[in-house]
Amino acid sequence: MSGEDERKLICDTPDCINNTLLPTCPGCLHGVVARCVCEAIDDLGIQENAIGVVGVGCHAMTAGAVEVDTISTAHGRAPGVATGIKRAYYGEAIVFTFQGDGDLGAIGLGDVLNAVNRGEKLTTIFFNNAGYGNTGGQMGPTTIEGQVTTTSPYGRDPAQSGFPLHMAEMMASLRGCAYSARVGINNLKNYAGARKAVKAAFQKQMDNIGYGFVEFLCTCPPGWKKKPDEAFHWMEKAMMEEYQLGEFKNVDEIT
Amino acid sequence: MDEKVLLTGNIAAAEGALYAGCRHYFGYPITPQSDVVEYFSAKLPQMGGEFVQSESECTSINMLYGAAACGIRAMTSTSSPGFSLMQEGISHIAAAELPCVIMHVQRGGPGSGSTQTAQMDYNQVVKGGGHGEYRLIVLAPDSVQEIFDFVQLGFYLAEKYRNPALVLTDAIIGQMKEDVELRTIDFGPTPEDRSWALKIHRSPKGKSANVHSAVGIVGIYNEWLARTNEKYENIKRDEVRFQSMFMEDAELAIVAYGSSGRAAKGACKLAREEGLKVGVLRPITLWPFPQPQIEELASRVKKILVVEDNLGQMVEDVRGAVEGRAEVHFMGVFSRHMPDCNGMIFPDTILEEVKKLL
């Protein structure tokens, strides 16, 4: 082999990516979500006006991969902070939040519902990995029925701790929401759909229409106490059975 | 002569912000400051500003966090129960070292307490309130004019030190009307460096801004502690403000702030008319606390009377400064003219206490 002459670049890194090493665990898909968001930002040419807002959780570390101005907030409070930034720049900034399931679906549920209901022109990237990863694998609002976690050691029992929260469908039911989808990144076909969904969610903000929301189904091998491949297959089977992929809302005007 | 208008303290706070160039306000209705929210909702859209009514004080303060991170002048206001809800966000704003102004119109507590006046949030405002070690610059006006002026001063000090500032009033001075001279006050230049702020039209090749409150996770903890500690020491050295009245030959000093400071000044004038040697020291900055001035006072007077509309909070700081070198007496909520939440501490009640002590 003569080397360089025969090597062809088939996939480059996005312009918007910051090549900081992410402290994510083996088998975690959060870095793939970051790449997907970076590609969407590149495609839309919005890097110079994009500002990222993160809550507390593994998703917050992931934002370090996106080369834009960022701000970290208290747990669950990103939609309010994002509102302040959006209003500070009179709508000119393209503001997105990164939030996990505990951050958005539990402690910050009221914050996001009210931001969407106000019809804020914001975009939320929601990392659903069915539990709290950062604190060691506790039950979260999107933990599925029967799932064993460190705080549901006998499996999540709906009679005792309720039901898995379907955020993408809930967001779609609000009038201030312009776009809502749930996406997977488990294969190339789904990845292409995810990139398209993130672009659509940003486009609703750029066109000043309304809130854009994209839920990513992710893995958490250490939190789930599974090996990376087992975690990947469990996500494809158990999580995708509970959480249907699809576009739940896509409108050009909120009314 | 600039324009003089009759305004309530709460509306003067809003006007002070507008005269300071603040065009962003986030708030939630709560008695006795709902008129501030209403006023901004009418004014800001006419002035090209942004008004957002949040779903809670928790979100008001987070909206303020986001706006302040962009380096613009922004404000929120609330009253006691709402202020409790803001503690998480205030802790984050202080950690991220962002300039902004919080207007706090006190009512009675704890719990839902009362909707009437009180000064029961001194400890919460001055000692922190949220988790971790941080300080707010706390300004305590005693007139409608001072409310108008101190909101502007609050913006200046907040930007000078990159630290949240708080203007502390109560239902009495928030709701009462006085003549106010409306003008923009020039306190001098503020730091030009805005490299820390979130920006738009940013060059992708330039260094991105990263505003964060995770001072020991994203940042280096001891660097943050050392930097903010130095900042707080500078503020303590340079920014103490107080009003001193009839102190030259005083044998007894009254120490009181805000509405109680106003009553204390009234009592002092009455005492002087009767030839009694009484003076007043009114802290204007509650943090930084005028500790050196009270230390000095303790060597000159035999007795100090602290008046505050609560069960005794600032009196602990006065005792700390006096260190036993003078007698420290306290009169508080039980000296109100009516024995319920509608009561107030009047100058003649303070005068009676002064006479007992002299």
Side-chain angles (χ1 to χ4, degrees), chain A residues 47-49 51 67-74 77 80-81 83-85 87-90 92-93 110-111 114 118, chain B residues 24 48 50 52 55 58-59 62-63 65-66 69-70 72 88 92 198-202 208-213:
Chain A
Q47 186 182 1
E48 68 173 28
N49 281 352
I51 296 174
E67 182 53 34
V68 295
D69 281 5
T70 58
I71 177 170
S72 76
T73 75
R77 311 295 173 227
V81 176
T83 300
I85 296 165
R87 303 294 183 119
Y89 282 120
Y90 296 103
E92 218 182 325
D111 303 61
N114 280 286
R118 282 194 305 272
Chain B
H24 289 76
E50 288 274 350
V52 186
E55 71 270 21
C58 175
T59 298
N62 279 293
M63 290 174 174
Y65 178 33
C70 299
I72 61 159
E88 174 193 68
H92 282 258
L198 302 172
K199 282 171 216 60
I200 54 171
H201 307 307
R202 189 175 70 81
S208 55
N210 178 232
V211 178
H212 69 84
S213 53

Side-chain angles (χ1 to χ4, degrees), chain B residues 243 247 252-257 260-261 264 279-283 286 289-290 293-294 297 301 303-308 314-315 317-318 322 328-331 350:
Chain B
Q243 182 186 9
M247 282 308 305
L252 181 146
I254 309 173
V255 179
Y257 76 92
S260 296
V280 170
L281 190 145
R282 176 174 70 93
L286 299 183
F289 189 65
Q293 289 71 23
I294 291 174
L297 192 67
V301 299
K303 293 181 181 181
I304 293 171
L305 174 63
V306 177
V307 184
E308 36 178 349
M314 185 178 72
V315 66
D317 288 339
V318 173
V322 169
V328 178
H329 298 266
F330 172 71
M331 66 184 291
I350 300 174

Side-chain angles (χ1 to χ4, degrees), chain A residues 2 16 73 140 152 164 205 238 246:
Chain A
S2 60
C16 189
T73 75
S152 58
Q205 179 177 175

